[in-house]
Amino acid sequence: MTAIYGTVTLTGVIEQEDNQFVAYCRELGTSSCGDTVQEAVHNLDEAIEVHLSGLIETGELERFLRERNIRIEVQPNSDGPLVRVPPDKIVTTYQKSVPVDAV
């Protein structure tokens, strides 16, 4: 049977702390950092991938997403996500493919 995939939209908030940029995803509780904004965004993307992969491998994705009210969208939202940006922070979004049959 072929797996069906949908998309979860997650936010990444990047803040400067001293000489580093710290990036975190509120929805997953995942964080990373980098010497530049771009590096912090990239490193957080990789950390999110690892986190989601671990949840899928252990069979915990359904429970985890349900507990955090994270929805899997089967049809992409053409308007894109609505994100409120605090004035002193940089915010980006990550859209990740996850199996729908897991939930």
Side-chain angles (χ1 to χ4, degrees), residues 29 37 55:
V37 170
L55 289 169

Side-chain angles (χ1 to χ4, degrees), residues 4-10 61 65 69-82 94-101 103:
I4 299 171
Y5 285 82
T7 303
V8 293
T9 300
L10 307 167
L61 182 66
L65 295 180
N69 293 319
I70 299 171
R71 290 185 3 183
I72 297 176
E73 298 291 335
V74 179
Q75 299 294 327
N77 182 351
S78 61
D79 295 334
L82 175 62
Y94 299 89
Q95 293 190 322
K96 299 298 180 180
S97 178
V98 295
V100 172
D101 55 350
V103 296

Side-chain angles (χ1 to χ4, degrees), residues 20 32 39 43 50 52 68 74 98:
Q20 288 263 313
S32 191
E39 185 178 5
N43 291 344
V50 169
L52 291 174
R68 286 160 179 78
V74 179
V98 295

Side-chain angles (χ1 to χ4, degrees), residues 14-31:
I14 298 92
E15 300 180 61
Q16 187 168 7
E17 290 187 11
D18 299 323
N19 295 332
Q20 288 263 313
F21 290 91
V22 176
Y24 60 95
C25 174
R26 293 179 190 164
E27 296 89 353
L28 299 181
T30 303
S31 62

